[in-house]
Amino acid sequence: MRHNVKGWCPGALRPMEAGDGLMVRLRPRASRLGSGQALALADLAESHGSGEIDLGSRASLQLRGIRQEALPELRQALDTLRMLDADPAREARRNILTTPIANDAETLGLSAALEAALAEDLAEELDLPAKFGFAVDTGARAILGGASADIRLERAAEGLIVRADGMALGERVSAATAVGRAMDIARWFCAHAAGHRRMATLIAAGGEPPLKVASPPLRGEPLRPGKTELGSCVALPFGRLTAVTLRALAVAPLRLTPWRSVLVEAAVPPSPDWIIDPADPRLRVSACPGQPACGSASVVTRDLALWLAPHLPGSVSLHVSGCAKGCAHPRSAALTLTGRMGRFDLIRGGRAGDPPALTDLSIDDVHTLLRGPLAPPL
């Protein structure tokens, strides 16, 4: 039986067809991988696919180029690694992002309890949208505020809070009551969504979750590449890994982040395959896999983005998108190049599908326009 559905949010039990084969998305529990798990995934990526792996913006891993006939063996191996869900519904529901900076048992316990609650609530037919997600951001400070999540468990000055995305304040809770209150708000969303797919848009439209809001989260900065108290934060250009790179990083347990980086619980040396310098210009460019890896793309993206990265002034961000969907960076960028019928549209201060300032640009036009400083208006 074929489980691949084009356009579906892919998983191991329901992969998605792409230009380079099937794409299988994995959500490591608590956003973490043991060294053995990482080494095993590198082997699986090579033996059953292209050896290419993408880091997603929700701390997921996407194995690329997986062959249809290899799916049964791949799933059996993932089950042995405790990375396979019981069924597609549980797989889709387990959309939990866990902070990489917490070492406490409380954070890991909250993540596990939330996973269990989401699985149990399938019996209630809780109809959450596919991209609806949760963040367990209960380190010393909340650092996942810019990452995609609809219900957030965070740390406030007085202790834990539950906060709905789009609200400044959260309700004070204990470790024993936090997950239950998060699920209450999820049920409220389902009952009041009225066509909205995300919590923030529902709140912006006037929705009022039944929270006794009292406290803001203690906010911290997202992890930047380089040395940290917990190890080395290593960014991957465009979130792109190979099996070889994953093996090289698996010298210690890994914590995945929503910034297309990995916190390695050890020191790692410099390498051209990854970024440990926070000033590296590649950190300011994003690009989807593009052609030929994605069937929706009409242009090559990542080679162009790498060529342009050194020409960007320090304040300028660039997104190169193979099509108007903008999967790699759904938010605005200072400059966006969107592929259309083999050529490019240029958008200033917008997203991939926004109205362009310039259209029908060839690759040579792009090189001419964006070569050198980009600060002057184009």
Side-chain angles (χ1 to χ4, degrees):
M1 178 179 178
R2 291 176 65 93
H3 291 285
N4 48 295
V5 180
K6 191 170 183 178
W8 194 269
C9 289
L13 295 172
R14 196 174 283 176
M16 186 174 76
E17 290 181 350
D20 56 351
L22 296 179
M23 182 169 64
V24 170
R25 177 176 293 160
L26 306 175
R27 297 184 177 113
R29 286 176 166 82
S31 306
R32 301 179 184 208
L33 286 173
S35 297
Q37 286 179 310
L39 291 171
L41 286 178
D43 290 344
L44 292 172
E46 282 184 335
S47 60
H48 300 311
S50 66
E52 297 287 330
I53 306 166
D54 287 334
L55 285 175
S57 60
R58 294 190 181 193
S60 62
L61 291 170
Q62 295 173 169
L63 308 186
R64 301 198 65 96
I66 300 298
R67 299 185 300 278
Q68 179 75 40
E69 64 273 15
L71 280 176
E73 189 175 345
L74 173 64
R75 288 168 180 157
Q76 183 177 5
L78 292 174
D79 192 31
T80 301
L81 294 170
R82 293 191 64 250
M83 298 188 69
L84 193 71
D85 293 276
D87 55 62
R90 284 175 172 80
E91 178 180 62
R93 180 72 63 83
R94 190 169 58 81
N95 195 359
I96 304 168
L97 177 60
T98 304
T99 178
I101 65 168
N103 275 330
D104 59 290
E106 182 178 73
T107 293
L108 296 180
L110 288 169
S111 186
L114 182 55
E115 178 183 328
L118 287 167
E120 291 170 3
D121 265 36
L122 283 170
E124 299 182 14
E125 298 183 356
L126 189 63
D127 188 20
L128 292 171
K131 294 185 181 297
F132 195 96
F134 299 78
V136 180
D137 198 4
T138 52
R141 292 185 177 273
I143 65 170
L144 302 177
S148 178
D150 297 272
I151 298 174
R152 301 175 183 272
L153 306 183
E154 296 170 320
R155 188 81 60 186
E158 304 85 358
L160 296 176
I161 60 171
V162 172
R163 185 170 66 88
D165 195 46
M167 299 182 72
L169 305 177
E171 177 179 304
R172 297 174 192 169
V173 292
S174 67
T177 61
V179 170
R181 288 298 289 138
M183 296 304 298
D184 289 341
I185 302 309
R187 296 184 192 97
W188 173 87
F189 176 88
C190 290
H192 297 83
H196 291 279
R197 309 296 291 173
R198 304 303 302 269
M199 180 69 77
T201 61
L202 176 55
I203 290 175
E208 297 183 7
L211 286 168
K212 298 176 182 178
V213 293
S215 302
L218 294 170
R219 298 188 184 277
E221 293 297 321
L223 282 179
R224 298 280 290 167
K227 294 181 180 179
T228 77
E229 294 179 356
L230 299 171
S232 300
C233 182
V234 176
L236 287 307
F238 315 120
R240 179 177 55 190
L241 275 164
T242 64
V244 172
T245 305
L246 183 56
R247 287 193 192 96
L249 291 174
V251 294
L254 307 178
R255 305 181 186 190
L256 308 187
T257 84
W259 309 294
R260 295 188 168 88
S261 62
V262 175
L263 179 60
V264 185
E265 295 181 18
V268 297
S271 168
D273 293 332
W274 56 69
I275 300 168
I276 56 175
D277 179 3
D280 193 302
R282 290 174 294 175
L283 292 171
R284 288 181 281 109
V285 298
S286 58
C288 64
Q291 202 180 55
C294 177
S296 298
S298 65
V299 293
V300 174
T301 55
R302 288 176 171 173
D303 288 346
L304 176 61
L306 285 175
W307 187 90
L308 293 172
H311 301 281
L312 295 170
S315 61
V316 171
S317 59
L318 170 69
H319 176 204
V320 182
S321 182
C323 71
K325 291 187 293 185
C327 298
H329 187 79
R331 297 174 294 279
S332 296
L335 294 170
T336 297
L337 289 167
T338 299
R340 182 169 59 85
M341 298 179 65
R343 295 172 76 84
F344 292 91
D345 293 342
L346 187 143
I347 298 100
R348 295 187 63 89
R351 297 173 295 181
D354 288 344
L358 296 171
T359 62
D360 199 34
L361 301 173
S362 68
I363 191 72
D364 290 336
D365 294 333
V366 170
H367 286 179
T368 300
L369 281 167
L370 303 190
R371 188 182 297 121
L374 297 178
L378 297 176

